[in-house]
Amino acid sequence: MRFLSLPAALAAMTATTAAIQVDMTSPDSIRSVSKTIAGKMLEWYTGNQPGGTPGILPQPYYWWEGGEMLGALIDYWYYTGDTQYNDLVIQALVFQYSPTYDFMPANQTKNEGNDDQMFWGFDVMSAAEYAFPNPPADQPSWISVAQAVFNSQYYRWDTELCGGGLRWQIFQWNQGYNYKNSPANGGLLNLAARLYAYTGNQSYADSVTRSWNWMSDIGLISPTYQVFDGSDGLLNCTQLDHVQWTYSAGMLLNAASVMWSVTNSTVWYDRAQGLWNASSVFFKDKVMLEVACEPQGNCNLDQQSFKAPFSRFLAASMKFAPWLYPQIQPLLYTSAQAAAAQCNGGSDKITCGTKWTDNGVWDGTSGVGQQMSALEVIQANLIQNATAPVAHDTGGISQGNASLGTGDGDVGSNPVVLAPVTTGDRAGAGILTAVVLLGLLGGAWWIVS
């Protein structure tokens, strides 16, 4: 029998005890493991270090993934109550606001697409829904910046190709400008639904209907609720790319759940249920996987993170539509167990990989996306005891400004921030919408809640 030397034995013991172990029946264990994984994730972040740019991940990560990571940290605070990253999040979000307060920083125009911008919009929307601490008083509120993102994208609705919809890319010089995809259009639909729930403004609900109908008409949402990636506008969207991504389906499921919670409509009930039924493709033996790339082992840097927003949207959907809880939660439970089991890579034994379906075997990959995905699916299992999302009149602390991002708001040093909407504001919303839609012919834009 060969015996290990004392140093080797100690090293082996350290490696064993350092590996992530989670008791999914214990909220304290879930919180502890989430803290460990979040800390590891931030080892890749340099935006809070000397010479770094707040909100920006280093190369080779694209700008959008910094926003995706901040959303995971907002969720981390929401689920665990741990405030240690709140200042980092606030600093990064405000820094990336841009002069028009809609997450259109000039130094990102080379790469920024509609779906990229929307991930930052999701951050401020979640911050408003969860009553995340407000930004500094001299900056626009979370909800007003979410409205600014919506306004800027609503203006880009394009009828030149395919009779409507958002293009994937914002700028003509970017590859993919003529492609119309589900992440961009599903993102606009999702944000509109959540703004409707928060403000009560019917105009946002009308935007949801328009986006859903267009996506359904061209086949991005199938009759059986699969969500396909996109279509070439130069072919008038007559041919579809039938690839399915987790996060696109999650966006629409979350939106349908939100709309059901506000309207109690059987239409939105059926849509939410249908979207969840179709999401079975993203699970193997009750464990989540990115079906379009994981089985082949060819997920790229972006795709390695898609399960993070999918987990986030699944959990949020259960909160807005509690009847989904007994259907979704068991799969989040088993997926979290599998994710934690394979977070045993690297020299620190807390590095997470991409694939959770390998029975606790780390696949050798690592990065922000892998840590973020494991974090989101594990902490999502705390959703049942998390506080309900708020709105303007149910505990919301973020004040709205529906004209921001349109050229009508003050984008100088003292931005306009309106008071929370009142019943009278809502009553006037339909009139204002009619006025503004007429004003569009003369170059006016959108509404003030």
Side-chain angles (χ1 to χ4, degrees), residues 392-414:
H392 266 307
D393 55 359
T394 58
I397 62 173
S398 193
Q399 298 180 342
N401 177 4
S403 66
L404 205 64
T406 67
D408 298 329
D410 176 7
V411 295
S413 58
N414 296 300

Side-chain angles (χ1 to χ4, degrees), residues 351-414:
T351 298
C352 304
T354 303
K355 297 179 70 174
W356 303 344
T357 55
D358 286 349
N359 298 316
V361 178
W362 177 53
D363 64 3
T365 67
S366 62
V368 175
Q370 289 88 337
Q371 295 298 130
M372 187 192 326
S373 295
L375 172 64
E376 287 279 32
V377 76
I378 291 169
Q379 66 190 12
N381 282 270
L382 297 170
I383 187 66
Q384 188 172 27
N385 294 322
T387 58
V390 299
H392 266 307
D393 55 359
T394 58
I397 62 173
S398 193
Q399 298 180 342
N401 177 4
S403 66
L404 205 64
T406 67
D408 298 329
D410 176 7
V411 295
S413 58
N414 296 300

Side-chain angles (χ1 to χ4, degrees), residues 156-397:
R156 298 184 198 125
W157 186 266
D158 168 66
T159 57
E160 180 182 351
L161 302 176
C162 311
L166 289 181
R167 297 171 184 259
W168 174 26
Q169 296 298 322
I170 298 170
F171 302 104
Q172 295 184 30
W173 54 80
N174 282 339
Q175 185 176 4
Y177 179 68
N178 293 317
Y179 190 64
K180 295 197 171 182
N181 68 348
S182 288
N185 288 281
L188 179 63
L189 192 156
N190 179 282
L191 188 63
R194 294 160 71 184
L195 283 169
Y196 176 48
Y198 194 93
T199 68
N201 191 321
Q202 180 62 35
S203 297
Y204 294 123
D206 294 341
S207 176
V208 171
T209 299
R210 180 180 72 165
S211 292
W212 181 281
N213 288 345
W214 179 82
M215 292 182 72
S216 179
D217 287 345
I218 71 164
L220 291 181
I221 304 172
S222 81
T224 50
Y225 298 101
Q226 291 99 336
V227 181
F228 301 128
D229 185 65
S231 187
D232 187 346
L234 296 180
L235 299 176
N236 199 34
C237 296
T238 57
Q239 298 179 19
L240 295 175
D241 181 341
H242 287 92
V243 170
Q244 298 181 68
W245 299 108
T246 52
Y247 74 139
S248 298
M251 289 179 195
L252 291 177
L253 174 59
N254 180 218
S257 301
V258 171
M259 291 302 293
W260 175 84
S261 75
V262 180
T263 66
N264 199 30
S265 162
T266 56
V267 170
W268 286 110
Y269 180 99
D270 291 342
R271 289 171 174 175
Q273 185 64 61
L275 286 161
W276 169 241
N277 292 345
S279 294
S280 61
V281 70
F282 302 121
F283 294 88
K284 178 183 177 182
D285 298 328
K286 299 184 178 180
V287 175
M288 190 185 299
L289 83 160
E290 198 63 60
V291 68
C293 61
E294 272 188 42
Q296 299 79 29
N298 61 352
C299 296
N300 67 26
L301 196 70
D302 286 347
Q303 295 156 7
Q304 289 167 351
S305 73
F306 288 175
K307 288 183 292 189
F310 185 51
S311 299
R312 179 189 311 170
F313 289 132
L314 290 184
S317 297
M318 294 189 297
K319 206 66 173 176
F320 279 103
W323 45 270
L324 284 171
Y325 184 87
Q327 302 177 57
I328 296 177
Q329 196 278 332
L331 298 186
L332 282 179
Y333 185 98
T334 50
S335 296
Q337 285 183 313
Q342 59 80 52
C343 286
N344 57 16
S347 59
D348 55 13
K349 299 301 179 184
I350 58 171
T351 298
C352 304
T354 303
K355 297 179 70 174
W356 303 344
T357 55
D358 286 349
N359 298 316
V361 178
W362 177 53
D363 64 3
T365 67
S366 62
V368 175
Q370 289 88 337
Q371 295 298 130
M372 187 192 326
S373 295
L375 172 64
E376 287 279 32
V377 76
I378 291 169
Q379 66 190 12
N381 282 270
L382 297 170
I383 187 66
Q384 188 172 27
N385 294 322
T387 58
V390 299
H392 266 307
D393 55 359
T394 58
I397 62 173

